[in-house]
Amino acid sequence: MNTKKLYVVTLSIVAIMIAFVMGFTFMPLEVFAEEAGEIYYNSEIRPSLFSTRNETLNYTRKEVLIDTTMSPKTPNYYDADSVLKNGCAAVAGGIIVGYYDITLENIIPNFSSFLKRGGNIVYKPIDSNIQNLMNDLYFRMKVNTTGAGATEEQFKNGLNEYVVDKGYNITYRGYGQGSKIDYDAIANSFKNGKPVALFITMSNLVTNLEIGDTNLTMTTTEYNANHILIANGIKKVRYYNGNNVIRTDTYLSVSSGLEHFPTGYIWLEGTTAVNDIVGVEIY
């Protein structure tokens, strides 16, 4: 083979190899970028657990802009058997199903999640029926199969699969993320008895909240995690010093899914990242 032909063949081989490498490289990069954007909710605690901080805010007056709470609220489940590693998605799904069991017969087979005492609804303590429900959702949500915990999509798909399997339907309604949140839509969801799932990167849980006429006392307990919680109430309050606005706070009352603090509040303005807020209706 003469030099000219050898040169042409060599260039052709190099071009083919470059095209192959570029194709091989670019496709995975797109996939990796997509995967890197996924948030896995797993309640990983970092770096410390249960250190508390008290905050006091003084003001001359307050204005309550929104104050709506579901009645009854959602149940306060957690992983009682401590077997659901990174399983906050399954616990959150269990809380939603346990709530809808009040009106939807056999959504938890052969079990009622509640008792009626007079005109009040009282949830039964966590037992093997509730634990088995969360175990089932853990499997359906594919927790820990593609990452540590479950993504929002895996949560939704797994809960949808469970609900449809029990003969019901489910609808998800987005209420915003980041600083763009439809507070009125959230309040309307609670007025209509529909709980809301919070997908957040949190730094703390408000474990005590007292809003007086002229001062606010708030205790926050450190809990650093990507976490899914179920909200059942909203309170939005504006605080003034004379005619000047000091700040406006939004608090969502939640079933946290945590054993030590099963209830509390998420202070949205004090949350690291509000990744998504989704209303959940089962019918």
Side-chain angles (χ1 to χ4, degrees):
M1 181 180 294
N2 61 37
T3 304
K4 184 176 180 180
K5 288 184 179 180
L6 179 62
Y7 178 73
V8 171
V9 170
T10 302
L11 283 180
S12 300
I13 293 172
V14 170
I16 292 170
M17 290 180 66
I18 290 173
F20 176 78
V21 170
M22 288 179 68
F24 181 78
T25 302
F26 288 160
M27 289 176 63
L29 279 177
E30 292 176 0
V31 175
F32 292 153
E34 181 179 340
E35 290 178 351
E38 292 277 16
I39 298 174
Y40 282 84
Y41 297 91
N42 48 35
S43 299
E44 178 187 353
I45 302 164
R46 55 183 193 276
S48 60
L49 176 65
F50 302 153
S51 59
T52 61
R53 180 171 63 87
N54 294 318
E55 177 182 348
T56 300
L57 177 68
N58 296 312
Y59 41 86
T60 58
R61 66 184 177 93
K62 69 178 188 292
E63 180 184 6
V64 179
L65 305 175
I66 302 174
D67 190 359
T68 304
T69 303
M70 286 170 49
S71 181
K73 289 187 172 184
T74 47
N76 300 316
Y77 299 154
Y78 57 90
D79 177 19
D81 288 351
S82 300
V83 295
L84 304 179
K85 183 180 180 182
N86 302 322
C88 70
V91 174
I95 291 170
I96 290 173
V97 173
Y99 168 76
Y100 276 105
D101 185 62
I102 296 172
T103 54
L104 303 179
E105 185 176 359
N106 262 348
I107 194 167
I108 306 175
N110 305 311
F111 178 75
S112 293
S113 65
F114 65 98
L115 298 169
K116 288 186 178 180
R117 292 181 179 171
N120 298 319
I121 296 292
V122 178
Y123 292 106
K124 295 177 182 178
I126 301 169
D127 64 3
S128 60
N129 294 283
I130 298 301
Q131 188 67 46
N132 289 338
L133 164 65
M134 295 186 294
N135 294 348
D136 188 355
L137 289 169
Y138 188 87
F139 174 77
R140 293 175 189 263
M141 292 177 181
K142 297 180 171 55
V143 179
N144 295 332
T145 59
T146 58
T151 65
E152 179 178 341
E153 182 179 8
Q154 287 172 324
F155 168 87
K156 289 177 177 177
N157 290 344
L159 185 55
N160 180 79
E161 180 183 309
Y162 177 90
V163 168
V164 171
D165 188 50
K166 298 300 179 279
Y168 294 101
N169 299 299
I170 188 167
T171 298
Y172 299 110
R173 292 182 173 84
Y175 295 139
Q177 54 190 232
S179 60
K180 297 180 179 180
I181 298 170
D182 191 339
Y183 302 106
D184 290 328
I186 294 171
N188 286 332
S189 185
F190 295 144
K191 286 178 184 177
N192 293 319
K194 308 297 188 295
V196 170
L198 306 180
F199 301 85
I200 62 175
T201 301
M202 60 190 287
S203 56
N204 60 68
L205 178 71
V206 177
T207 49
N208 182 59
L209 180 66
E210 297 179 16
I211 304 174
D213 292 332
T214 57
N215 62 67
L216 160 74
T217 302
M218 182 164 56
T219 301
T220 58
T221 299
E222 184 176 0
Y223 193 83
N224 295 289
N226 294 323
H227 194 37
I228 305 174
L229 311 92
I230 304 304
N232 48 51
I234 182 172
K235 188 185 294 288
K236 190 175 183 67
V237 184
R238 183 168 292 152
Y239 302 102
Y240 292 85
N241 183 9
N243 292 324
N244 298 319
V245 176
I246 301 173
R247 75 187 200 200
T248 302
D249 286 0
T250 311
Y251 316 99
L252 294 176
S253 61
V254 295
S255 295
S256 71
L258 306 176
E259 179 179 2
H260 296 284
F261 300 100
T263 63
Y265 296 86
I266 291 298
W267 174 29
L268 289 181
E269 291 77 13
T271 299
T272 302
V274 180
N275 304 315
D276 209 1
I277 300 180
V278 178
V280 184
E281 180 181 7
I282 302 177
Y283 55 96

